[in-house]
Amino acid sequence: MSLFSAHSLYKSFGGIGAVQGVSLSVEPGEMLALIGPNGAGKSTCFAMLGGQIEPDMGEVRLNGVALHGGPVSFAHAGIGRSFQISKTFASMSVGENVQTALLAAQRQLWRLRSAADAQVKAEAICLLDRVGLAALADHDAATLAYGDTKRLELAITLAATPRVLLLDEPTAGMAQRERRAAMELVASLAQDGIAVIFTEHDMQAVFSFAHRILVMDRGILMAEGTPAEIAANPMVQNVYLGTV
Amino acid sequence: MLATLAIQALTGLSSASSLFLVASGLSVIFGVTRVVNFAHGSLCMLGAYLGWTVLTHLPRDPLSFALGVLIAALGTAMFGAWLEIVLLRRLYRAPALLQLLATFAVLLVMQDAIEHIWGPADLPLPRGPWLRSFVPILGERFPLYDLVLIAIGPLVLIALSLMVTRTRFGMLLRAATENRTMLAALGVDQRYLFTAVLALGAGLAGLGGALSLPENSANLGIDLRVITDAFVVVVVGGMGSIGGAYLAAVLVGVMQSLGILLLPKSSLVLVFVLMALVLALRPQGLLGKTGEAEETPRFHRLRAAGLWQKLAGGAVLVAALAIGLLGGDFARSVLEEMAVAALFAASLHLLLGPGGTISFGHAAWFGIGAYAAALGTTVLAVPLPLALILAVLAAGTMAFLIGLVLIRLSGVSLAMMTLAFAQIAWAVATQWDDVTGGDDGILGLWPPPWMGGTWFFLLCIALSATGVLALRAVIFSPFGFALRAGRDAPWRAAASGIDAEKLRLAAFTLAGSAAGLAGALSSFSKGSVFPSSLAIFRSVDALSMVLLGGVQSVSGPILGAIAYTGLFDTLLLASDYWRALLGLTLLALILWRPQGLAR
Ligand SMILES: Nc1ncnc2c1ncn2[C@@H]1O[C@H](COP(=O)(O)OP(=O)(O)O)[C@@H](O)[C@H]1O
Ligand SMILES: [Mg+2]
């Protein structure tokens, strides 16, 4: 039994099948890449894996138990995720963004008195340090550059100490060097035992960091294998690499 | 019995027709411009007055009647187009709250303008013989004109549907409603389209107003009565859906007229229960689509008060206490009113700011608190402290129950439904004479002798200040941060395990309780309660205070409350045209300082 798995997920929007029968599974410490051309259905898959949209058919399981009840219960179960277009809490400082996520994870939101205490603040700085944003802790989150927003969102996601991490294009909008650093950070998270599923347009990042790759096209899983197998698969080269 | 029921249902159908005309106009305008036109009831009222003027100059045969009604609708349409050109087109990019307030300001100005032109008295239409004739149905006499009305609803529905599906204008209308990028791609000058849509919507409202003349005279109460019903119909039917508007109008119309038969005193409550049921099952309304998310305005970073702000706040408090203790009764009553207003405005700000929730009926909680305290004192004879607690509990419980139904609605629908609830609460307060004393209110609520004068003044200031500070503390608590997270980035917040809906419901309840305390304090300060404490104007008072001070800051609403109470209340109310003055002031503020005076 896998840590986290999806079983023949289907989802269509107004008659167009965005995802048609996708199954997958990940283990702790594994980095699984989901690739495919624009519109292949990757983000829709992620939305079902993260509980944001309910599949028309199929289910998502954690330790063999089906997950239900929308994004909030998925989050409490230990599924963390980032979005293709990152959004952070714009009316807060960078540090407060992470503190809020920490308090949510510790189920302390219903406390009315006194905001984040020293311990939460220290934990937040620690997480920001991990993504390389500690120096910006007091800045307005709304004024961050896009790459920094992505990093802040990662810190927010990590605040919940997730067991499964879904990252939708984690390095989009970053410069080449930043990308490498960001992917190395993700790899270190996997090494700590988190199961990571990510999508990415940067093929170099995919082939150097993924342990296993799933290729999607028009809502269907086309191929699955190690980076070496995928690189050698002529069908994949034809369908995917040819259309980027 | 069955015949009576059937007749009553037919009557309901006929009132559904005029309701539909007005609501469909509102819905079409919203669909295209994304502006909820609060002045839509005023357009209907204008149609009625124009119709009265025209029809009193025409012969009293059916054909002349039809002609006169059409002229009135055309006149209203032209007025609507003019309104779009001079005002509405400046508002399309404004946040929903400001759009609602600005069009409400139009309602205020139109009320005074129409009263100025046509006078305050009701103007009944002299009815020709055909308007007084009856048709026998099921052995009862049914007014012929009601049959005409019943037919007009579906006819207009069909005409509108044909226009939407068959004409180029209709195609543009659909494009604007369903797919804005496509509209831009079609290369249409959007300005003409929007002006035309306003004319169409206003014309429908004017038609509805003129058609209701034979049954209701032209009178100054039309605007608010009609807008409340129209809001309910549009939200229940689904925002922007014309067919939904007809369905909901029929449902509400028939429910209302059957309700009078079944539960004479509480037909309003019946309508509200129906509405609650529909929205609990389908938050997007009967035929509404779960459309694009509304854009929420960008909020600035909130910072806790610095040393200087704390000192300034303390100084204001000390000054208030000194003036109150050294001054006379008048100074104390003004200060009490300001303190109550500050608490009331701060409670609304929790929703408008951190909650990201537009409430247009905040007076409901203020009034429920005021009445609970009053009834606790007069009926239950509890001492003042207990009456205050009772008020907080009553307002909080009601806010929780109403919030339970409404909190899932999207921003603008929530605003419309909170208004509808407040109007229903107001109607209950005016009509339930035995308990509330109706328009005469409840008098003689002075604090007991041992608490009189300065002691009550101190209590009022202390409780208001504590309430305001507690609300501030909430904003900077983990709860407040999570509330703002849910507003700033709903998807991100949910993926972090933040249940924004629950938090918002809690904020709604908390704000309602605080407003209830403000209402209770106000009733003891004034010694009386009237239905005006629940009226829409009271809600707009609070909105104006928050707007004046700026929704973006935490201290703004408090400053706004003090300024509004001190200046506007005294200056404006001294004038005969206080509504128009208030409306013009609001418009000036919205167009030139939308961020408030505090910044
Ligand atoms: N909310 C939605 N409504 C309608 N269609 C959608 C929606 N989300 C995605 N789609 C469609 O589903 C398909 C898959 O999209 P997406 O999952 O975003 O692909 P990817 O992330 O691989 O680029 C696309 O054709 C897209 O247009
Ligand atoms: Mg995508």
Side-chain angles (χ1 to χ4, degrees):
Chain A
M1 184 176 61
S2 308
L3 170 66
F4 183 66
S5 56
H7 302 264
S8 43
L9 299 177
Y10 284 83
K11 180 75 202 176
S12 49
F13 296 106
I16 298 162
V19 173
Q20 304 175 41
V22 167
S23 301
L24 54 80
S25 65
V26 266
E27 303 304 332
E30 187 180 22
M31 285 182 74
L32 176 67
L34 185 60
I35 65 172
N38 262 331
K42 307 179 296 289
S43 291
T44 307
C45 267
F46 268 44
M48 288 188 279
L49 296 176
Q52 278 75 31
I53 58 181
E54 197 153 342
D56 295 339
M57 251 196 303
E59 60 183 20
V60 175
R61 295 181 199 156
L62 186 70
N63 286 324
V65 181
L67 292 174
H68 292 291
V72 174
S73 18
F74 276 58
H76 286 316
I79 318 295
R81 69 160 296 177
S82 71
F83 293 90
Q84 184 173 342
I85 297 170
S86 286
K87 286 262 168 69
T88 55
F89 310 134
S91 70
M92 302 178 196
S93 73
V94 169
E96 286 165 348
N97 265 271
V98 182
Q99 288 164 26
T100 305
L102 279 166
L103 290 163
Q106 296 163 7
R107 310 282 189 111
Q108 302 221 357
L109 292 184
W110 293 92
R111 260 183 26 204
L112 287 181
R113 288 259 322 123
S114 98
D117 52 28
Q119 197 198 334
V120 173
K121 282 184 180 152
E123 281 177 58
I125 293 293
C126 200
L127 280 166
L128 284 172
D129 197 36
R130 196 145 187 206
V131 300
L133 279 182
L136 299 182
D138 280 329
H139 282 231
D140 288 6
T143 61
L144 289 184
Y146 189 64
D148 288 341
T149 302
K150 284 244 138 192
R151 272 198 279 263
L152 174 54
E153 198 194 14
L154 184 59
I156 289 174
T157 310
L158 292 179
T161 51
R163 289 195 278 170
V164 179
L165 199 49
L166 310 169
L167 304 174
D168 200 352
E169 306 200 6
T171 73
M174 290 186 184
Q176 191 60 43
R177 252 199 351 197
E178 288 181 303
R179 286 187 180 188
R180 177 126 211 119
M183 285 312 297
E184 267 160 11
L185 172 63
V186 173
S188 78
L189 294 170
Q191 238 147 37
D192 294 346
I194 300 181
V196 178
I197 308 180
F198 69 103
T199 74
E200 191 49 69
H201 273 296
D202 180 8
M203 282 308 114
Q204 208 186 336
V206 171
F207 282 90
S208 34
F209 287 96
H211 301 142
R212 203 150 50 86
I213 299 177
L214 298 177
V215 185
M216 254 186 111
D217 187 28
R218 278 168 256 172
I220 294 166
L221 277 188
M222 303 266 318
E224 173 174 2
T226 62
E229 287 164 1
I230 294 296
N233 186 327
M235 194 168 63
V236 172
Q237 283 179 348
N238 198 10
V239 166
Y240 177 62
L241 300 175
T243 54
V244 169
Chain B
M1 179 65 195
L2 221 59
T4 324
L5 270 181
I7 291 291
Q8 203 66 16
L10 281 180
T11 309
L13 270 182
S14 75
S15 69
S17 280
S18 9
L19 203 51
F20 165 67
L21 287 181
V22 180
S24 63
L26 187 67
S27 201
V28 168
I29 293 177
F30 174 80
V32 173
T33 65
R34 292 290 187 277
V35 173
V36 174
N37 179 23
F38 217 126
H40 208 69
S42 314
L43 295 172
C44 176
M45 184 160 87
L46 180 65
Y49 276 94
L50 285 178
W52 183 85
T53 299
V54 176
L55 288 173
T56 42
H57 286 92
L58 289 177
R60 292 177 193 168
D61 58 289
L63 218 61
S64 307
F65 179 82
L67 182 70
V69 165
L70 282 182
I71 292 175
L74 225 60
T76 315
M78 278 161 62
F79 180 81
W82 177 77
L83 194 64
E84 199 275 339
I85 292 169
V86 297
L87 177 69
L88 289 182
R89 65 172 51 164
R90 292 163 211 274
L91 293 173
Y92 295 140
R93 287 165 188 282
L97 171 64
L98 294 189
Q99 294 174 339
L100 276 165
L101 261 178
T103 50
F104 182 79
V106 173
L107 174 146
L108 289 171
V109 176
M110 281 181 73
Q111 214 168 43
D112 270 359
I114 288 177
E115 181 173 346
H116 185 76
I117 297 172
W118 278 280
D122 288 9
L123 302 176
L125 185 73
R127 296 188 293 174
W130 76 279
L131 280 175
R132 278 175 278 151
S133 61
F134 290 88
V135 190
I137 292 180
L138 296 170
E140 306 231 1
R141 276 153 41 94
F142 194 74
L144 172 69
Y145 185 67
D146 276 7
L147 280 185
V148 174
L149 278 183
I150 291 178
I152 285 178
L155 282 180
V156 171
L157 176 64
I158 291 169
L160 278 176
S161 311
L162 284 179
M163 188 198 72
V164 166
T165 47
R166 298 286 163 84
T167 65
R168 179 172 157 77
F169 177 66
M171 191 191 75
L172 294 177
L173 241 160
R174 246 185 323 158
T177 306
E178 286 160 17
N179 190 342
R180 319 216 115 208
T181 34
M182 186 172 111
L183 183 70
L186 285 173
V188 190
D189 188 342
Q190 295 199 7
R191 273 182 311 175
Y192 293 126
L193 178 66
F194 283 27
T195 309
V197 162
L198 247 291
L200 173 66
L204 286 167
L207 187 63
L211 282 173
S212 66
L213 268 178
E215 317 223 295
N216 309 302
S217 52
N219 63 75
L220 292 166
I222 293 177
D223 51 358
L224 279 174
R225 204 182 50 242
V226 161
I227 195 67
T228 310
D229 287 348
F231 276 5
V232 170
V233 165
V234 168
V235 173
V236 168
M239 303 281 296
S241 160
I242 297 174
Y246 185 70
L247 215 61
V250 168
L251 217 60
V252 170
V254 172
M255 201 73 179
Q256 247 164 1
S257 71
L258 285 185
I260 290 172
L261 212 63
L262 302 175
L263 289 165
K265 281 240 151 188
S266 38
S267 58
L268 276 172
V269 178
L270 220 59
V271 173
F272 197 81
V273 168
L274 163 93
M275 189 170 91
L277 267 178
V278 170
L279 294 177
L281 299 176
R282 275 184 77 81
Q284 73 273 38
L286 291 171
L287 298 186
K289 299 195 180 108
T290 37
E292 68 209 83
E294 283 170 35
E295 263 180 58
T296 44
R298 268 281 311 281
F299 284 89
H300 301 304
R301 172 150 170 214
L302 277 189
R303 290 168 194 274
L307 181 64
W308 287 114
Q309 266 179 305
K310 283 183 184 159
L311 286 177
V316 168
L317 204 58
V318 169
L321 287 174
I323 296 171
L325 291 177
L326 299 175
D329 281 344
F330 178 71
R332 277 193 288 275
S333 84
V334 171
L335 287 168
E336 282 168 9
E337 198 180 338
M338 284 181 176
V340 163
L343 178 57
F344 188 35
S347 71
L348 177 61
H349 173 259
L350 178 68
L351 297 181
L352 295 179
T357 309
I358 306 177
S359 166
F360 226 94
H362 208 54
W365 323 121
F366 185 91
I368 288 173
Y371 273 100
L375 293 174
T377 307
T378 56
V379 178
L380 304 178
V382 300
L384 186 140
L386 223 56
L388 291 178
I389 294 174
L390 195 68
V392 172
L393 289 180
T397 312
M398 278 312 282
F400 174 75
L401 292 176
I402 298 302
L404 213 52
V405 179
L406 297 187
I407 211 73
R408 289 164 64 207
L409 301 185
S410 72
V412 150
S413 309
L414 184 89
M416 294 159 80
M417 294 314 280
T418 47
L419 170 86
F421 173 73
Q423 287 298 90
I424 286 172
W426 171 80
V428 169
T430 48
Q431 287 164 18
W432 202 12
D433 302 29
D434 318 346
V435 178
T436 63
D439 285 325
D440 299 333
I442 302 173
L443 305 176
L445 295 174
W446 303 109
W450 57 270
M451 267 238 74
T454 28
W455 285 112
F456 180 76
F457 167 73
L458 288 176
L459 179 75
C460 183
I461 300 285
L463 285 180
S464 303
T466 311
V468 167
L469 289 174
L471 287 169
R472 275 188 83 105
V474 164
I475 292 179
F476 292 103
S477 72
F479 173 82
F481 275 103
L483 192 63
R484 277 155 58 199
R487 172 202 71 189
D488 286 350
W491 285 50
R492 180 63 258 162
S496 288
I498 294 172
D499 194 340
E501 221 169 86
K502 265 193 202 146
L503 292 162
R504 236 178 276 137
L505 178 59
F508 200 75
T509 309
L510 190 64
S513 316
L517 178 62
L521 287 172
S522 145
S523 61
F524 285 119
S525 168
K526 297 209 161 90
S528 55
V529 189
F530 298 102
S532 63
S533 67
L534 300 136
I536 170 88
F537 297 105
R538 195 77 197 119
S539 296
V540 171
D541 279 346
L543 286 163
S544 309
M545 292 171 199
V546 176
L547 181 71
L548 194 64
V551 72
Q552 295 275 5
S553 79
V554 186
S555 314
I558 300 158
L559 296 177
I562 294 171
Y564 186 86
T565 315
L567 292 171
F568 290 86
D569 240 21
T570 41
L571 289 184
L572 286 178
L573 285 181
S575 158
D576 282 344
Y577 292 105
W578 66 272
R579 290 194 196 88
L581 280 177
L582 175 61
L584 293 173
T585 313
L586 275 174
L587 279 178
L589 198 63
I590 290 165
L591 293 177
W592 284 294
R593 294 248 356 147
Q595 69 277 56
L597 296 180
R599 278 178 175 261

